[in-house]
Amino acid sequence: MSESPDARSLLSASSQLNLMEVDTIDDKEFDIPQVDTPPTLESILNELDDEEEPFMLEDTCTLSTDNMDAHSCDTSSLASSDSGDPAHLKRKRRTVDLNATVHGSVLRHSLLKGISAQIVSAADKVDAGLPTAITVSGVIAVGTSHGLALVFDTNQALRLCLGTKTTGAEFGAVSALSINHDCSRLLCGFAKGQITMWDLANGKLLRTITDAHPPGTAILHVKFTDDPTLAVCNDSGGSVFELAFRRVMGMRTCDSRCLFSGSKGEVCCIEPLRAPPDFRDHPITHYSLLAMASLTKILVIGLKPTLKVWMTFPYSKSDPSSVPQLAWQFVPVQKTVNPILAFCKGDTVHFLLVKKEETGTIHVIKQRQLHLSCDIISLSWINSRTLVLVDSHEKLHVVDRPSQEVLETLDLEQVQLVYNSRHFKSLATGGNVSQALALVGEKACYQSVSSYAGQIVYLGTKSAHIMTLRNWRERLDCLLKQEHFAEALTLAWSFHEGTAKAVVGLFGDPIKRKGVVADKMAEILCQFADHALKKCPEQGKIQVMEQHFYDVVPVLVDYCLLLQRADLLFSHLYARLVENTVSKGVFLESLESYIVADRLGHLTTPIMRDLLAHYHGNGMMDSLERCIVHLDVTSLDIQQVVQVCWENQLYDAMIYVFNSGMNDYITPMEKLFAVIGPPLREGRSLTDEEVVMGNKLLVYISCCLAGRAYPLGDIPEDLVIQVKNQVFEFLIRLHSADWSEEEEVFPFIRTLLHFDTREFLNVLAMTFEDFKNDKQALEYQQRIVDILLQVMVDNPDFTPSQVGGLFTFLARQLAKPDNTLFVNRKLFDQVLEFLCCPDDDSRHTERQQVLLELLQVGGVVQFNEERLLALAEKAKFYQICEFLYEKKHLYDRILDCYLRDPLRKGEIFSYIHNLLSMPGYSPEEKQTVKEKVLQHIQELVTLDPSKSADVVVFHFTEEVQLIISELEDDELLFKFLSCLLEPRYSFHSGTDLPLERDLHERLLELLCRFAPQQLLSFLQTSQHYRLEEAIQITEMHHHSEATAYLLERKGDFHGAFSVLLETLKEKLCLLTAESDAEAEDRRHDEDEINDDSTLTRVKDSLNDIIALCHRSSHNLYQQQREALWFPLLETMMASQKLVKGSNPKHTSEVLKELTMKVLNSMSSFIPLPAIIQRILQDPVYGKGKLAEIQGLILGMLDTFNYEQTLLETTTSLLNHDLHWSLAHLRAAVTRGLHPRQDYCNICLQQYKRRQDSAEEIIVFSCGHLYHFQCLQQKDCGWRLASERQQRWSCYKCSSSQGGKGGSSTEPNRSRSTSLAQTRVTSVHHDAGAEAHRKKVFVEASLDLQQEQSWDQLRSLYRGPSRLSILSELSHCHSEKAGPLIPAQPGAEHFQLKLSPPPLLEE
């Protein structure tokens, strides 16, 4: 027997041994001595090395293998990769992720050394051939390619060698093996189709079966069922046969029955359901179920009591070369154990639960499938939850079925798996198999894998290997050997919690099981700590050492706390970590997060002492404070902690220690008051630290009075009342404990009021909310209020805001329904006087706000309103005045408040709008407000013209003229009118302003004066001015562009042109004018700047005039066009003669460019010859050489060529489109029609009723067919007045649409009206050969709708000539027209239509 797993040496996953290198057979070791008599095959194969260790093969799910020191391959799960890389230095602390999954090495992979050696020896020494098949039961049987079967016992000793090389030559290789359940019989299938049965007790041949299946096919599978007299076999023809063994009168016979014929689909895998010993009595075993996998589907059949198919299941689409796999396993499901069939072809494993119903039928239920991204060639169960798969790359995957998680992946490449391709191709019998089966056989390895009792054996070409699940300790030891402590702990914790997968060796009571795992974890934690200390870098940066321990210590702490083993943490582990100062520091710092999260509440005294010293020494005071307030006080040295806290201002911790440790709630307050009191009394400003202390003090008092503990938790219930009373007694003390004569009375309340009056009063207000029936508390309440009044009233140290805050607080308390406080009424009057003091300008807004708050509380605070109003007006408290006027409904007076209040002036408009818009105000009140607005309209418009205009539009449309007369300043009026008349989206039809034309004309005049640049946009957008008046206004103010726009709108194009031409001439004069003496004195660059700006103005003016000519030329005759364009051209050409100034050449070039632009623009409207003639008459160009006007003429010719090309292209496109449309229409019209039936749809008789009659038939495009007479009787036709031809509509389709005849004008008719109504005349011929043939005449025509579509299509492409651009030129100078196409009459508007061709129904 082998050693225990704990003692086994485990090799690193990263250095897996090459099995074949380690276990290569040494020739010397197996050398056969020279002897006279050669030994027999049996004696040779029975030789066993002395050092060879046997293996035990038992039913208890353990296959003990040889020592793993040299022959086992430790495997590392993909999920447990090492994390010891330097990248981890980037993160500070390693914490435990309880959801992380680590599986470790799940499978133990061992080489069966004895069997492997003897397989190789047999092949080499006695020519047994290579191994071809293997099967495992109580023994292991290996078949060879020379027809032998070697049987090994549990100690790997060869017990039997069955068969001889003679029979091997006759039968071929062993292609399949099977052992029955009691290990008494072995079935061997051979490559040439024979089957033999052997007695495993004595090695005797019992049967040779040669006629069980068709000859010439190899045996692919032979399998015993649970019944020892029944087996099944599958041959390379794809057929399945049942073999029934009989023994009659000493004669052994075998009856064969075909279960499935290969002609119906080739079966390439069979698997009978064989129950393990525990389930031999399971009710489903009586059916002797057999699963078969063909190339297209799975079948489950029952062999007993009668042959019956229980289920067929087709595969989903998969690769044709994928190998079908089947595997049965008994699995507990919902408290019952039933068999599950796992099957796959490709990458998806399906699971079928098979159960017997009470009725006696077999019920198959599909379970959740498992998808892997690989092509599976072997599928085995290793236990009821775990599958072992091999893919086509010879990678082994261990999969947990319930979670579908891949637990481990191993490489089987070095096993050199044996494939069964030769048998699938039936090469031994001539290869007479289908291509599909041969393709599947490429990857078939059915006979190389055998599973039995939790063990799987794999057959290699020179070796045998066994896979078993490691037990839980072995999996942990595996990781520990590799020094993966964190992963080992994660895996152990998953064993502890019961979440681990494929667990072996943990049985029984969960509590005991947890105890066993916890002990192992404690052992690992100690090993981890020792390893960390041993591996700690001795030299180098301190950060590297810290990081080393940060990867270890938090893990140790976390698992100790998870296991609730604080004793282990504080005694064993801490004692080891203390040896290293860095690890000690990391340990103490790691505790903080667990203490703050309340996972660790109690520390031992030595650790607490070390914690204080470490945090204090490293200045980690905030962390120390966080720890102290979460720790159990009993673990603290109170005196030491208080001293440290006070020295380092850890007030939260100090308060916590006093409260929890000594039930003392007053001393912390005294200590804090001692710090913040003196600077406040002396009037010094507090430091940030003192402000924090003051805030803590307020929060602490608030918590104590509310019954909550500070900084977290609650005060014990029996102490709540006592603590509250103690705090009140403390606050109302007359003097502090160590008071001097200078100290004022009630120092504590005075200090809090000076520190933060509002927050202190808020604390009191929250506390008073809880005082309902507590008499003692109500007395404290009255006492505190009296003290507050005594301290604050008539005290110049307090600001108006503070005093006002007190009285607001009091007013709110007094306003409560169950109020019991008493406050002297006169005090409120004193406060009023104090706040409204007109001589004091300081804190004006603050005092007003305080008084407003006081008034808004209402209730008991009732002041004399007249007196208050007088005081408020005197003090300029306009919000107070507004508040009082609101109560008196004097809304007009509120407007005065807004206007006089500099801070709130802008809000007056929304107030006016809301008041005049909203219901709830009487007409009289609204009228007074309106009058007030009109009184102050000048002021309002000055404040914001836009908002004033909005108010006028909505509420004062009738008073617009009055308002305009009120506005004296013209500029102010301009701003107001601009806002008033700008377009509004929210304008209602009822808000038209009176005399709107006059208003717009007035605004036009003001625009001319104040914003001439906005004039044109106003004229273009406004529709409310009169043209004549507007023209007079713009002429008066000399705005030529605006005048021209208005004249053009009026229709006076020549007037508009002359105005713009005058402007252009003026600007050209400026450009060409001679520079005076001053200009000559200027620097040259200034001249250039001046010239540039003049040039820009000339260009803008010219663009305006060209645009006008373009717009107007469309509506003018030829002479009128020339009257526009030629004066412009002459002006531009004339200006070139006058060019002078500092840079005449540049100016001249620019003017020539501009002249060219005019020529290009006018060429669209004026004939080219006329233009050229005019140019040649001009003195500038006329007297020069041709070279000077060459540019002009060439430019004009380019334009001509471009337009001619454009015309030809568009004509070609239109012709192409028209041809396309006509061709498609013709194709649709002439298409043949296919009748749906051969009878008339009205009379339901054959369309040829009598042999000798010649009847007209009408067929519609919808497929319906009618006799001409039948349609006439049903009145389905109509005549057009313009045409003699009859039009028809389909009777059936038109009647189904609701009318018999179908309207001719119906726009969306269905295909009931044919595209080509075809009248067919059938003529009978008497000639014998032609007796049953018809001659068909087809007359094609369009129906009404198609006629309309056709006319529309034609009119779309008909129209005026496209040559209007060149028409004038051809009229005027036909002799010089050159290649011009003559213009057609009526071609006035050239519009290019490039529409897509119409879509026609095919």
Side-chain angles (χ1 to χ4, degrees), residues 1177-1191:
Q1177 288 169 358
D1178 190 91
V1180 176
Y1181 295 104
K1183 295 173 187 171
K1185 296 174 184 173
L1186 185 66
E1188 291 183 9
I1189 60 167
Q1190 183 183 358

Side-chain angles (χ1 to χ4, degrees), residues 29-30 48-54 66-67 71 113-114:
E29 182 183 350
F30 293 101
L48 190 65
D49 273 350
D50 295 336
E51 71 223 283
E52 194 82 45
E53 288 202 26
D66 51 19
N67 192 309
H71 310 299
K113 189 178 172 189

Side-chain angles (χ1 to χ4, degrees), residues 52-309:
E52 194 82 45
E53 288 202 26
F55 75 88
M56 298 301 293
L57 193 57
E58 305 157 13
D59 281 353
T60 55
C61 297
T62 58
L63 172 54
S64 305
T65 59
D66 51 19
N67 192 309
M68 292 175 60
D69 283 344
H71 310 299
S72 69
C73 289
D74 276 0
T75 57
S76 176
S77 159
L78 292 180
S80 65
S81 58
D82 187 12
S83 54
D85 55 54
H88 278 141
L89 292 177
K90 292 174 188 171
R91 68 162 196 274
K92 181 66 177 161
R93 175 173 306 207
R94 181 169 183 164
T95 54
V96 175
D97 179 7
L98 294 179
N99 296 322
T101 52
V102 171
H103 302 299
S105 175
V106 177
L107 272 190
R108 189 193 315 124
H109 171 188
S110 308
L111 172 70
L112 295 176
K113 189 178 172 189
I115 293 176
S116 304
Q118 291 176 89
I119 289 172
V120 174
S121 180
D124 288 352
K125 308 299 165 53
V126 292
D127 196 23
L130 293 172
T132 55
I134 194 165
T135 186
V136 184
S137 186
V139 295
I140 288 187
V142 178
T144 72
S145 57
H146 289 175
L148 303 181
L150 312 178
V151 182
F152 300 90
D153 67 8
T154 53
N155 296 321
Q156 300 192 50
L158 181 65
R159 286 291 165 255
L160 295 169
C161 176
L162 306 175
T164 63
K165 286 166 70 179
T166 313
T167 55
E170 184 186 346
F171 293 172
V174 175
S175 58
L177 293 168
S178 179
I179 300 172
N180 66 358
H181 67 78
D182 61 358
C183 286
S184 61
R185 298 284 185 271
L186 171 70
L187 277 176
C188 297
F190 290 90
K192 293 186 180 178
Q194 296 85 350
I195 299 171
T196 59
M197 180 189 276
W198 301 86
D199 186 338
L200 288 178
N202 53 27
K204 186 179 174 184
L205 177 66
L206 301 180
R207 290 182 176 82
T208 300
I209 306 161
T210 56
D211 56 354
H213 66 104
T217 53
I219 297 292
L220 299 183
H221 302 275
V222 62
K223 306 263 184 179
F224 272 111
T225 64
D226 274 343
D227 180 352
T229 67
L230 202 62
V232 284
C233 74
N234 172 206
D235 65 15
S236 59
S239 300
V240 180
F241 296 87
E242 176 189 80
L243 307 175
F245 306 118
R246 301 277 183 272
R247 190 170 179 182
V248 183
M249 298 178 67
M251 287 291 291
R252 299 178 192 274
T253 61
C254 174
D255 298 331
S256 170
R257 172 170 67 150
C258 182
L259 301 177
F260 188 89
S261 169
S263 61
K264 296 178 183 174
E266 292 152 312
V267 170
C268 51
C269 178
I270 58 172
E271 198 65 52
L273 173 61
R274 293 180 64 176
D278 309 349
F279 300 111
R280 289 273 154 77
D281 299 328
H282 195 285
I284 207 154
T285 56
H286 306 316
Y287 291 88
S288 196
L289 293 182
L290 171 68
M292 303 187 291
S294 76
L295 297 178
T296 55
K297 60 178 179 283
I298 297 286
L299 295 94
V300 176
I301 64 173
L303 303 179
K304 296 179 181 177
T306 55
L307 186 64
K308 182 166 183 182
V309 178

Side-chain angles (χ1 to χ4, degrees), residues 897-917:
C897 296
Y898 272 107
L899 286 169
R900 285 154 65 192
D901 188 346
L903 296 174
R904 296 168 68 236
K905 261 187 179 181
E907 296 170 25
I908 188 169
F909 299 102
S910 54
Y911 179 77
I912 294 168
H913 179 68
N914 290 342
L915 193 138
L916 295 176
S917 305

Side-chain angles (χ1 to χ4, degrees), residues 1260-1279:
F1260 291 92
S1261 61
C1262 53
H1264 295 131
L1265 175 149
Y1266 302 95
H1267 292 116
F1268 179 70
Q1269 292 91 339
C1270 297
L1271 270 184
Q1272 272 187 324
Q1273 288 167 8
K1274 292 291 182 184
D1275 196 19
C1276 286
W1278 69 92
R1279 287 184 185 278

Side-chain angles (χ1 to χ4, degrees), residues 667-913:
T667 308
M669 281 200 287
E670 288 177 337
K671 285 181 175 289
L672 290 172
F673 271 116
V675 176
I676 65 165
L680 284 169
R681 281 199 295 277
E682 292 162 21
R684 282 192 285 118
S685 60
L686 297 178
T687 63
D688 289 348
E689 194 180 298
E690 287 166 343
V691 169
V692 170
M693 287 174 67
N695 286 329
K696 282 186 192 297
L697 182 57
L698 278 173
V699 176
Y700 176 57
I701 292 170
S702 172
C703 286
C704 290
L705 294 176
R708 292 194 307 277
Y710 181 86
L712 45 103
D714 291 303
I715 296 172
E717 282 187 26
D718 53 332
L719 294 176
V720 171
I721 303 294
Q722 181 189 335
V723 170
K724 196 183 287 187
N725 291 346
Q726 283 178 3
V727 172
F728 274 129
E729 284 293 341
F730 173 77
L731 288 176
I732 61 178
R733 281 184 195 172
L734 198 60
H735 287 290
S736 57
D738 49 350
W739 67 285
S740 60
E741 289 187 9
E742 292 88 39
E743 185 182 84
E744 295 179 277
V745 290
F746 308 116
F748 301 126
I749 285 182
R750 200 178 289 271
T751 302
L752 289 171
L753 286 171
H754 277 298
F755 175 71
D756 192 332
T757 311
R758 190 173 291 275
E759 284 307 318
F760 177 50
L761 293 174
N762 282 346
V763 168
L764 292 177
M766 284 193 293
T767 310
F768 291 175
E769 288 289 328
D770 299 335
F771 294 174
K772 294 287 183 276
N773 305 314
D774 186 348
K775 190 178 177 187
Q776 176 72 43
L778 292 172
E779 287 176 13
Y780 282 126
Q781 184 179 349
Q782 183 65 53
R783 179 85 180 103
I784 285 202
V785 167
D786 292 344
I787 293 169
L788 289 172
L789 289 168
Q790 183 181 339
V791 169
M792 288 187 79
V793 175
D794 295 333
N795 186 338
D797 293 347
F798 291 100
T799 64
S801 178
Q802 289 172 313
V803 176
L806 169 65
F807 279 92
T808 306
F809 161 74
L810 292 177
R812 285 188 180 137
Q813 295 302 321
L814 295 172
K816 287 182 185 173
D818 52 355
N819 172 53
T820 56
L821 284 175
F822 170 75
V823 179
N824 190 337
R825 292 275 311 115
K826 289 182 181 175
L827 285 171
F828 281 96
D829 293 334
Q830 286 178 20
V831 170
L832 182 62
E833 292 282 351
F834 166 68
L835 291 174
C836 292
C837 177
D839 304 328
D840 181 12
D841 280 343
S842 63
R843 302 176 183 269
H844 181 274
T845 310
E846 186 185 318
R847 285 185 292 131
Q848 178 174 231
Q849 202 58 40
V850 168
L851 185 53
L852 194 62
E853 279 182 21
L854 194 54
L855 289 174
Q856 283 168 345
V857 171
V860 292
V861 187
Q862 300 294 337
F863 296 109
N864 181 336
E865 290 189 355
E866 294 302 324
R867 179 163 170 274
L868 178 58
L869 192 56
L871 284 169
E873 285 181 344
K874 201 172 177 184
K876 297 182 181 174
F877 285 176
Y878 297 116
Q879 282 175 269
I880 307 295
C881 298
E882 184 190 332
F883 180 78
L884 296 170
Y885 288 141
E886 185 87 40
K887 288 173 80 172
K888 295 183 174 184
H889 303 292
L890 297 173
Y891 301 110
D892 54 329
R893 304 286 292 279
I894 293 176
L895 295 187
D896 289 328
C897 296
Y898 272 107
L899 286 169
R900 285 154 65 192
D901 188 346
L903 296 174
R904 296 168 68 236
K905 261 187 179 181
E907 296 170 25
I908 188 169
F909 299 102
S910 54
Y911 179 77
I912 294 168
H913 179 68

